[in-house]
């Protein structure tokens, strides 16, 4: 089980919710295909943004933004998520500071930085190979991919 799934389990067993729908959605999320790559606790401009509040938090019980649509019921949210394979940003509002939430967000951020670092390293190696083999099209394609990755990183830093 992943640390994000472990955290969702912890939330489900440690907190009360304003209604049952958030419990259904959190349990559903734990079961989706490619959970680790689809469910994120870090906002990376996902087309699906899900906000869930525990009992006592000062916000809606649950709200899901998918494109220009707002969904409020478990059935609607689950049906929409089933129709797509888009990444899902999950934000949980607690009625008090939750150190485990901070820890899991930090761990996910570290993991994403590691993956990005590995991808950047691989791109540099492939660019060198393209230069050595004088493959202009591959070189241009790879440098464009590296440029996009660098722009995404730059935008993520400005967002913080």
């Amino acid at each position: 089980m992943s640390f994000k799934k472990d955290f969702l389990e912890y939330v489900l067993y440690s907190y009360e919710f304003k209604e049952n729908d958030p419990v259904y959605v959190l349990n559903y999320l734990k079961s989706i295909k490619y959970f680790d790559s689809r469910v994120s606790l870090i906002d990376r401009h996902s087309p699906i943004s899900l906000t869930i509040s525990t009992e006592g938090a000062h916000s809606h019980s649950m709200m899901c933004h998918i494109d220009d649509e707002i969904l409020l019921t478990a059935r609607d949210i689950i049906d929409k998520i089933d129709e797509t394979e888009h990444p899902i940003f999950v934000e949980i509002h607690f009625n008090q500071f939750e150190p485990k939430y901070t820890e899991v967000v930090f761990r996910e951020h570290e993991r994403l930085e590691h993956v990005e670092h590995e991808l950047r390293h691989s791109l540099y190696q492939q660019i060198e190979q393209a230069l050595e083999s004088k493959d202009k099209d591959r070189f241009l394609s790879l440098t464009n991919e590296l440029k996009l990755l660098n722009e995404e990183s730059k935008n993520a830093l400005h967002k913080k």
Side-chain angles (χ1 to χ4, degrees), residues 16 37 40 55 85-86 150:
E16 297 290 323
S37 61
S40 178
E55 184 70 50
E85 291 189 9
H86 291 304
N150 288 335

Side-chain angles (χ1 to χ4, degrees), residues 23-35:
V23 174
Y24 301 144
V25 171
L26 288 174
N27 276 306
Y28 165 76
L29 286 177
K30 292 185 322 179
S31 71
I32 65 171
K33 193 173 184 179
Y34 309 118
F35 172 87

